[in-house]
Amino acid sequence: MTSESHVNAARRKVFGEVTELYDAARPGSSNAMVTEVLAYTSLGDRAAVEVGAGTGKATAPFAALGIPLVCVEPDARMAEVLRRNTTSHPSIRIEVGDFDQWRVRAAGRDPARGGWT
């Protein structure tokens, strides 16, 4: 792994160092953003993929509408808060890991048509 790759890997997990503070301070996603994403995508009966789901600030409004989601989060600490914040939404599946590696595992399954970051 190159030096730049190490830096990028560390950046993906930087908010995990202050997970609770991040969750408390970061505002949630707006209904307008949710409406725009849903208007852009054609999910049908498929799940959406949220890459870098963090603590669920964008996840929650989609889940509240019953949208099935696969949340790929590289930091286990962030994913733990995401699980806690979304326990009332059974249509959410959380996977901890790097998106590129997850994408390789998911190849051929076509789990989603739309997604956001």
Side-chain angles (χ1 to χ4, degrees), residues 25-47:
R26 187 173 186 280
S29 295
S30 71
N31 290 337
M33 186 275 297
V34 173
T35 300
E36 188 171 330
V37 169
L38 292 176
Y40 178 77
T41 62
S42 299
L43 292 173
D45 62 350
R46 294 188 252 188

mmCIF file with all atom_site columns, all heavy atoms in Angstrom, residues 25-47:
data_model
loop_
_atom_site.group_PDB
_atom_site.id
_atom_site.type_symbol
_atom_site.label_atom_id
_atom_site.label_alt_id
_atom_site.label_comp_id
_atom_site.label_asym_id
_atom_site.label_entity_id
_atom_site.label_seq_id
_atom_site.pdbx_PDB_ins_code
_atom_site.Cartn_x
_atom_site.Cartn_y
_atom_site.Cartn_z
_atom_site.occupancy
_atom_site.B_iso_or_equiv
_atom_site.pdbx_formal_charge
_atom_site.auth_seq_id
_atom_site.auth_comp_id
_atom_site.auth_asym_id
_atom_site.auth_atom_id
_atom_site.pdbx_PDB_model_num
ATOM 1   N N   . ALA A 1 25 ? -23.343 16.547 16.816  1.00 0.00 ? 25 ALA A N   1
ATOM 2   C CA  . ALA A 1 25 ? -23.143 17.864 16.196  1.00 0.00 ? 25 ALA A CA  1
ATOM 3   C C   . ALA A 1 25 ? -23.601 17.950 14.744  1.00 0.00 ? 25 ALA A C   1
ATOM 4   O O   . ALA A 1 25 ? -24.029 19.010 14.291  1.00 0.00 ? 25 ALA A O   1
ATOM 5   C CB  . ALA A 1 25 ? -21.668 18.261 16.282  1.00 0.00 ? 25 ALA A CB  1
ATOM 6   N N   . ARG A 1 26 ? -23.510 16.866 14.008  1.00 0.00 ? 26 ARG A N   1
ATOM 7   C CA  . ARG A 1 26 ? -23.829 16.931 12.579  1.00 0.00 ? 26 ARG A CA  1
ATOM 8   C C   . ARG A 1 26 ? -25.335 16.959 12.374  1.00 0.00 ? 26 ARG A C   1
ATOM 9   O O   . ARG A 1 26 ? -26.060 16.122 12.906  1.00 0.00 ? 26 ARG A O   1
ATOM 10  C CB  . ARG A 1 26 ? -23.248 15.731 11.837  1.00 0.00 ? 26 ARG A CB  1
ATOM 11  C CG  . ARG A 1 26 ? -23.411 15.857 10.328  1.00 0.00 ? 26 ARG A CG  1
ATOM 12  C CD  . ARG A 1 26 ? -22.680 14.744 9.603   1.00 0.00 ? 26 ARG A CD  1
ATOM 13  N NE  . ARG A 1 26 ? -22.718 14.941 8.177   1.00 0.00 ? 26 ARG A NE  1
ATOM 14  C CZ  . ARG A 1 26 ? -23.754 14.633 7.398   1.00 0.00 ? 26 ARG A CZ  1
ATOM 15  N NH1 . ARG A 1 26 ? -24.851 14.134 7.909   1.00 0.00 ? 26 ARG A NH1 1
ATOM 16  N NH2 . ARG A 1 26 ? -23.689 14.824 6.091   1.00 0.00 ? 26 ARG A NH2 1
ATOM 17  N N   . PRO A 1 27 ? -25.828 17.911 11.586  1.00 0.00 ? 27 PRO A N   1
ATOM 18  C CA  . PRO A 1 27 ? -27.273 17.958 11.338  1.00 0.00 ? 27 PRO A CA  1
ATOM 19  C C   . PRO A 1 27 ? -27.720 16.793 10.460  1.00 0.00 ? 27 PRO A C   1
ATOM 20  O O   . PRO A 1 27 ? -26.930 16.227 9.701   1.00 0.00 ? 27 PRO A O   1
ATOM 21  C CB  . PRO A 1 27 ? -27.463 19.295 10.613  1.00 0.00 ? 27 PRO A CB  1
ATOM 22  C CG  . PRO A 1 27 ? -26.138 19.621 10.042  1.00 0.00 ? 27 PRO A CG  1
ATOM 23  C CD  . PRO A 1 27 ? -25.113 18.987 10.929  1.00 0.00 ? 27 PRO A CD  1
ATOM 24  N N   . GLY A 1 28 ? -28.978 16.451 10.564  1.00 0.00 ? 28 GLY A N   1
ATOM 25  C CA  . GLY A 1 28 ? -29.548 15.401 9.730   1.00 0.00 ? 28 GLY A CA  1
ATOM 26  C C   . GLY A 1 28 ? -29.782 15.899 8.311   1.00 0.00 ? 28 GLY A C   1
ATOM 27  O O   . GLY A 1 28 ? -29.650 17.085 8.019   1.00 0.00 ? 28 GLY A O   1
ATOM 28  N N   . SER A 1 29 ? -30.128 14.982 7.448   1.00 0.00 ? 29 SER A N   1
ATOM 29  C CA  . SER A 1 29 ? -30.400 15.334 6.055   1.00 0.00 ? 29 SER A CA  1
ATOM 30  C C   . SER A 1 29 ? -31.793 15.918 5.922   1.00 0.00 ? 29 SER A C   1
ATOM 31  O O   . SER A 1 29 ? -32.720 15.535 6.633   1.00 0.00 ? 29 SER A O   1
ATOM 32  C CB  . SER A 1 29 ? -30.277 14.098 5.167   1.00 0.00 ? 29 SER A CB  1
ATOM 33  O OG  . SER A 1 29 ? -28.942 13.649 5.166   1.00 0.00 ? 29 SER A OG  1
ATOM 34  N N   . SER A 1 30 ? -31.944 16.812 4.981   1.00 0.00 ? 30 SER A N   1
ATOM 35  C CA  . SER A 1 30 ? -33.223 17.497 4.790   1.00 0.00 ? 30 SER A CA  1
ATOM 36  C C   . SER A 1 30 ? -34.198 16.636 3.996   1.00 0.00 ? 30 SER A C   1
ATOM 37  O O   . SER A 1 30 ? -33.802 15.765 3.215   1.00 0.00 ? 30 SER A O   1
ATOM 38  C CB  . SER A 1 30 ? -33.002 18.814 4.052   1.00 0.00 ? 30 SER A CB  1
ATOM 39  O OG  . SER A 1 30 ? -32.649 18.553 2.705   1.00 0.00 ? 30 SER A OG  1
ATOM 40  N N   . ASN A 1 31 ? -35.470 16.910 4.184   1.00 0.00 ? 31 ASN A N   1
ATOM 41  C CA  . ASN A 1 31 ? -36.497 16.242 3.393   1.00 0.00 ? 31 ASN A CA  1
ATOM 42  C C   . ASN A 1 31 ? -36.337 16.560 1.913   1.00 0.00 ? 31 ASN A C   1
ATOM 43  O O   . ASN A 1 31 ? -36.637 15.725 1.063   1.00 0.00 ? 31 ASN A O   1
ATOM 44  C CB  . ASN A 1 31 ? -37.887 16.647 3.882   1.00 0.00 ? 31 ASN A CB  1
ATOM 45  C CG  . ASN A 1 31 ? -38.195 16.061 5.234   1.00 0.00 ? 31 ASN A CG  1
ATOM 46  O OD1 . ASN A 1 31 ? -37.624 15.055 5.642   1.00 0.00 ? 31 ASN A OD1 1
ATOM 47  N ND2 . ASN A 1 31 ? -39.102 16.691 5.950   1.00 0.00 ? 31 ASN A ND2 1
ATOM 48  N N   . ALA A 1 32 ? -35.857 17.765 1.600   1.00 0.00 ? 32 ALA A N   1
ATOM 49  C CA  . ALA A 1 32 ? -35.640 18.146 0.201   1.00 0.00 ? 32 ALA A CA  1
ATOM 50  C C   . ALA A 1 32 ? -34.595 17.247 -0.449  1.00 0.00 ? 32 ALA A C   1
ATOM 51  O O   . ALA A 1 32 ? -34.749 16.841 -1.611  1.00 0.00 ? 32 ALA A O   1
ATOM 52  C CB  . ALA A 1 32 ? -35.213 19.611 0.105   1.00 0.00 ? 32 ALA A CB  1
ATOM 53  N N   . MET A 1 33 ? -33.533 16.917 0.275   1.00 0.00 ? 33 MET A N   1
ATOM 54  C CA  . MET A 1 33 ? -32.501 16.031 -0.264  1.00 0.00 ? 33 MET A CA  1
ATOM 55  C C   . MET A 1 33 ? -33.082 14.649 -0.506  1.00 0.00 ? 33 MET A C   1
ATOM 56  O O   . MET A 1 33 ? -32.849 14.037 -1.550  1.00 0.00 ? 33 MET A O   1
ATOM 57  C CB  . MET A 1 33 ? -31.304 15.953 0.695   1.00 0.00 ? 33 MET A CB  1
ATOM 58  C CG  . MET A 1 33 ? -30.109 15.169 0.172   1.00 0.00 ? 33 MET A CG  1
ATOM 59  S SD  . MET A 1 33 ? -30.129 13.367 0.402   1.00 0.00 ? 33 MET A SD  1
ATOM 60  C CE  . MET A 1 33 ? -30.139 13.204 2.162   1.00 0.00 ? 33 MET A CE  1
ATOM 61  N N   . VAL A 1 34 ? -33.858 14.155 0.429   1.00 0.00 ? 34 VAL A N   1
ATOM 62  C CA  . VAL A 1 34 ? -34.482 12.840 0.284   1.00 0.00 ? 34 VAL A CA  1
ATOM 63  C C   . VAL A 1 34 ? -35.385 12.830 -0.943  1.00 0.00 ? 34 VAL A C   1
ATOM 64  O O   . VAL A 1 34 ? -35.316 11.923 -1.771  1.00 0.00 ? 34 VAL A O   1
ATOM 65  C CB  . VAL A 1 34 ? -35.265 12.465 1.560   1.00 0.00 ? 34 VAL A CB  1
ATOM 66  C CG1 . VAL A 1 34 ? -36.062 11.186 1.350   1.00 0.00 ? 34 VAL A CG1 1
ATOM 67  C CG2 . VAL A 1 34 ? -34.314 12.323 2.740   1.00 0.00 ? 34 VAL A CG2 1
ATOM 68  N N   . THR A 1 35 ? -36.201 13.836 -1.088  1.00 0.00 ? 35 THR A N   1
ATOM 69  C CA  . THR A 1 35 ? -37.103 13.938 -2.230  1.00 0.00 ? 35 THR A CA  1
ATOM 70  C C   . THR A 1 35 ? -36.325 13.967 -3.544  1.00 0.00 ? 35 THR A C   1
ATOM 71  O O   . THR A 1 35 ? -36.692 13.289 -4.510  1.00 0.00 ? 35 THR A O   1
ATOM 72  C CB  . THR A 1 35 ? -37.974 15.205 -2.103  1.00 0.00 ? 35 THR A CB  1
ATOM 73  O OG1 . THR A 1 35 ? -38.728 15.108 -0.890  1.00 0.00 ? 35 THR A OG1 1
ATOM 74  C CG2 . THR A 1 35 ? -38.902 15.367 -3.288  1.00 0.00 ? 35 THR A CG2 1
ATOM 75  N N   . GLU A 1 36 ? -35.248 14.727 -3.575  1.00 0.00 ? 36 GLU A N   1
ATOM 76  C CA  . GLU A 1 36 ? -34.443 14.825 -4.797  1.00 0.00 ? 36 GLU A CA  1
ATOM 77  C C   . GLU A 1 36 ? -33.796 13.493 -5.158  1.00 0.00 ? 36 GLU A C   1
ATOM 78  O O   . GLU A 1 36 ? -33.796 13.085 -6.320  1.00 0.00 ? 36 GLU A O   1
ATOM 79  C CB  . GLU A 1 36 ? -33.368 15.902 -4.631  1.00 0.00 ? 36 GLU A CB  1
ATOM 80  C CG  . GLU A 1 36 ? -32.626 16.187 -5.909  1.00 0.00 ? 36 GLU A CG  1
ATOM 81  C CD  . GLU A 1 36 ? -31.722 17.398 -5.807  1.00 0.00 ? 36 GLU A CD  1
ATOM 82  O OE1 . GLU A 1 36 ? -32.033 18.331 -5.043  1.00 0.00 ? 36 GLU A OE1 1
ATOM 83  O OE2 . GLU A 1 36 ? -30.697 17.406 -6.503  1.00 0.00 ? 36 GLU A OE2 1
ATOM 84  N N   . VAL A 1 37 ? -33.240 12.819 -4.176  1.00 0.00 ? 37 VAL A N   1
ATOM 85  C CA  . VAL A 1 37 ? -32.607 11.517 -4.446  1.00 0.00 ? 37 VAL A CA  1
ATOM 86  C C   . VAL A 1 37 ? -33.639 10.516 -4.946  1.00 0.00 ? 37 VAL A C   1
ATOM 87  O O   . VAL A 1 37 ? -33.403 9.799  -5.923  1.00 0.00 ? 37 VAL A O   1
ATOM 88  C CB  . VAL A 1 37 ? -31.884 10.987 -3.182  1.00 0.00 ? 37 VAL A CB  1
ATOM 89  C CG1 . VAL A 1 37 ? -31.458 9.534  -3.370  1.00 0.00 ? 37 VAL A CG1 1
ATOM 90  C CG2 . VAL A 1 37 ? -30.670 11.847 -2.870  1.00 0.00 ? 37 VAL A CG2 1
ATOM 91  N N   . LEU A 1 38 ? -34.796 10.463 -4.303  1.00 0.00 ? 38 LEU A N   1
ATOM 92  C CA  . LEU A 1 38 ? -35.820 9.511  -4.720  1.00 0.00 ? 38 LEU A CA  1
ATOM 93  C C   . LEU A 1 38 ? -36.366 9.834  -6.110  1.00 0.00 ? 38 LEU A C   1
ATOM 94  O O   . LEU A 1 38 ? -36.710 8.922  -6.872  1.00 0.00 ? 38 LEU A O   1
ATOM 95  C CB  . LEU A 1 38 ? -36.937 9.449  -3.689  1.00 0.00 ? 38 LEU A CB  1
ATOM 96  C CG  . LEU A 1 38 ? -36.521 8.836  -2.354  1.00 0.00 ? 38 LEU A CG  1
ATOM 97  C CD1 . LEU A 1 38 ? -37.666 8.913  -1.355  1.00 0.00 ? 38 LEU A CD1 1
ATOM 98  C CD2 . LEU A 1 38 ? -36.029 7.409  -2.519  1.00 0.00 ? 38 LEU A CD2 1
ATOM 99  N N   . ALA A 1 39 ? -36.421 11.107 -6.450  1.00 0.00 ? 39 ALA A N   1
ATOM 100 C CA  . ALA A 1 39 ? -36.877 11.492 -7.789  1.00 0.00 ? 39 ALA A CA  1
ATOM 101 C C   . ALA A 1 39 ? -35.852 11.093 -8.855  1.00 0.00 ? 39 ALA A C   1
ATOM 102 O O   . ALA A 1 39 ? -36.219 10.761 -9.991  1.00 0.00 ? 39 ALA A O   1
ATOM 103 C CB  . ALA A 1 39 ? -37.133 12.997 -7.851  1.00 0.00 ? 39 ALA A CB  1
ATOM 104 N N   . TYR A 1 40 ? -34.596 11.085 -8.495  1.00 0.00 ? 40 TYR A N   1
ATOM 105 C CA  . TYR A 1 40 ? -33.519 10.765 -9.430  1.00 0.00 ? 40 TYR A CA  1
ATOM 106 C C   . TYR A 1 40 ? -33.393 9.262  -9.658  1.00 0.00 ? 40 TYR A C   1
ATOM 107 O O   . TYR A 1 40 ? -33.061 8.823  -10.751 1.00 0.00 ? 40 TYR A O   1
ATOM 108 C CB  . TYR A 1 40 ? -32.200 11.332 -8.904  1.00 0.00 ? 40 TYR A CB  1
ATOM 109 C CG  . TYR A 1 40 ? -31.010 11.026 -9.762  1.00 0.00 ? 40 TYR A CG  1
ATOM 110 C CD1 . TYR A 1 40 ? -30.773 11.727 -10.941 1.00 0.00 ? 40 TYR A CD1 1
ATOM 111 C CD2 . TYR A 1 40 ? -30.116 10.031 -9.402  1.00 0.00 ? 40 TYR A CD2 1
ATOM 112 C CE1 . TYR A 1 40 ? -29.683 11.444 -11.740 1.00 0.00 ? 40 TYR A CE1 1
ATOM 113 C CE2 . TYR A 1 40 ? -29.013 9.739  -10.184 1.00 0.00 ? 40 TYR A CE2 1
ATOM 114 C CZ  . TYR A 1 40 ? -28.804 10.444 -11.354 1.00 0.00 ? 40 TYR A CZ  1
ATOM 115 O OH  . TYR A 1 40 ? -27.724 10.163 -12.136 1.00 0.00 ? 40 TYR A OH  1
ATOM 116 N N   . THR A 1 41 ? -33.637 8.483  -8.630  1.00 0.00 ? 41 THR A N   1
ATOM 117 C CA  . THR A 1 41 ? -33.427 7.035  -8.718  1.00 0.00 ? 41 THR A CA  1
ATOM 118 C C   . THR A 1 41 ? -34.711 6.323  -9.106  1.00 0.00 ? 41 THR A C   1
ATOM 119 O O   . THR A 1 41 ? -35.802 6.848  -8.987  1.00 0.00 ? 41 THR A O   1
ATOM 120 C CB  . THR A 1 41 ? -32.943 6.462  -7.370  1.00 0.00 ? 41 THR A CB  1
ATOM 121 O OG1 . THR A 1 41 ? -33.942 6.687  -6.394  1.00 0.00 ? 41 THR A OG1 1
ATOM 122 C CG2 . THR A 1 41 ? -31.644 7.079  -6.939  1.00 0.00 ? 41 THR A CG2 1
ATOM 123 N N   . SER A 1 42 ? -34.537 5.125  -9.558  1.00 0.00 ? 42 SER A N   1
ATOM 124 C CA  . SER A 1 42 ? -35.661 4.230  -9.847  1.00 0.00 ? 42 SER A CA  1
ATOM 125 C C   . SER A 1 42 ? -35.370 2.913  -9.144  1.00 0.00 ? 42 SER A C   1
ATOM 126 O O   . SER A 1 42 ? -34.930 1.951  -9.758  1.00 0.00 ? 42 SER A O   1
ATOM 127 C CB  . SER A 1 42 ? -35.805 4.007  -11.350 1.00 0.00 ? 42 SER A CB  1
ATOM 128 O OG  . SER A 1 42 ? -36.062 5.211  -12.010 1.00 0.00 ? 42 SER A OG  1
ATOM 129 N N   . LEU A 1 43 ? -35.603 2.880  -7.847  1.00 0.00 ? 43 LEU A N   1
ATOM 130 C CA  . LEU A 1 43 ? -35.223 1.714  -7.056  1.00 0.00 ? 43 LEU A CA  1
ATOM 131 C C   . LEU A 1 43 ? -36.094 0.494  -7.304  1.00 0.00 ? 43 LEU A C   1
ATOM 132 O O   . LEU A 1 43 ? -35.636 -0.624 -7.169  1.00 0.00 ? 43 LEU A O   1
ATOM 133 C CB  . LEU A 1 43 ? -35.268 2.059  -5.564  1.00 0.00 ? 43 LEU A CB  1
ATOM 134 C CG  . LEU A 1 43 ? -34.222 3.042  -5.082  1.00 0.00 ? 43 LEU A CG  1
ATOM 135 C CD1 . LEU A 1 43 ? -34.491 3.429  -3.635  1.00 0.00 ? 43 LEU A CD1 1
ATOM 136 C CD2 . LEU A 1 43 ? -32.834 2.465  -5.229  1.00 0.00 ? 43 LEU A CD2 1
ATOM 137 N N   . GLY A 1 44 ? -37.350 0.714  -7.624  1.00 0.00 ? 44 GLY A N   1
ATOM 138 C CA  . GLY A 1 44 ? -38.256 -0.428 -7.720  1.00 0.00 ? 44 GLY A CA  1
ATOM 139 C C   . GLY A 1 44 ? -38.310 -1.120 -6.372  1.00 0.00 ? 44 GLY A C   1
ATOM 140 O O   . GLY A 1 44 ? -38.478 -0.475 -5.342  1.00 0.00 ? 44 GLY A O   1
ATOM 141 N N   . ASP A 1 45 ? -38.099 -2.425 -6.360  1.00 0.00 ? 45 ASP A N   1
ATOM 142 C CA  . ASP A 1 45 ? -38.123 -3.167 -5.098  1.00 0.00 ? 45 ASP A CA  1
ATOM 143 C C   . ASP A 1 45 ? -36.722 -3.430 -4.553  1.00 0.00 ? 45 ASP A C   1
ATOM 144 O O   . ASP A 1 45 ? -36.541 -4.217 -3.639  1.00 0.00 ? 45 ASP A O   1
ATOM 145 C CB  . ASP A 1 45 ? -38.887 -4.484 -5.260  1.00 0.00 ? 45 ASP A CB  1
ATOM 146 C CG  . ASP A 1 45 ? -38.247 -5.415 -6.280  1.00 0.00 ? 45 ASP A CG  1
ATOM 147 O OD1 . ASP A 1 45 ? -37.327 -4.981 -7.007  1.00 0.00 ? 45 ASP A OD1 1
ATOM 148 O OD2 . ASP A 1 45 ? -38.686 -6.578 -6.369  1.00 0.00 ? 45 ASP A OD2 1
ATOM 149 N N   . ARG A 1 46 ? -35.730 -2.769 -5.138  1.00 0.00 ? 46 ARG A N   1
ATOM 150 C CA  . ARG A 1 46 ? -34.346 -2.983 -4.705  1.00 0.00 ? 46 ARG A CA  1
ATOM 151 C C   . ARG A 1 46 ? -33.943 -2.013 -3.607  1.00 0.00 ? 46 ARG A C   1
ATOM 152 O O   . ARG A 1 46 ? -34.496 -0.925 -3.478  1.00 0.00 ? 46 ARG A O   1
ATOM 153 C CB  . ARG A 1 46 ? -33.392 -2.824 -5.880  1.00 0.00 ? 46 ARG A CB  1
ATOM 154 C CG  . ARG A 1 46 ? -33.581 -3.887 -6.920  1.00 0.00 ? 46 ARG A CG  1
ATOM 155 C CD  . ARG A 1 46 ? -32.505 -3.801 -7.928  1.00 0.00 ? 46 ARG A CD  1
ATOM 156 N NE  . ARG A 1 46 ? -33.090 -3.287 -9.163  1.00 0.00 ? 46 ARG A NE  1
ATOM 157 C CZ  . ARG A 1 46 ? -32.452 -3.225 -10.296 1.00 0.00 ? 46 ARG A CZ  1
ATOM 158 N NH1 . ARG A 1 46 ? -31.199 -3.568 -10.356 1.00 0.00 ? 46 ARG A NH1 1
ATOM 159 N NH2 . ARG A 1 46 ? -33.050 -2.771 -11.363 1.00 0.00 ? 46 ARG A NH2 1
ATOM 160 N N   . ALA A 1 47 ? -32.946 -2.413 -2.867  1.00 0.00 ? 47 ALA A N   1
ATOM 161 C CA  . ALA A 1 47 ? -32.397 -1.565 -1.807  1.00 0.00 ? 47 ALA A CA  1
ATOM 162 C C   . ALA A 1 47 ? -31.473 -0.510 -2.404  1.00 0.00 ? 47 ALA A C   1
ATOM 163 O O   . ALA A 1 47 ? -30.843 -0.728 -3.431  1.00 0.00 ? 47 ALA A O   1
ATOM 164 C CB  . ALA A 1 47 ? -31.612 -2.414 -0.807  1.00 0.00 ? 47 ALA A CB  1
#
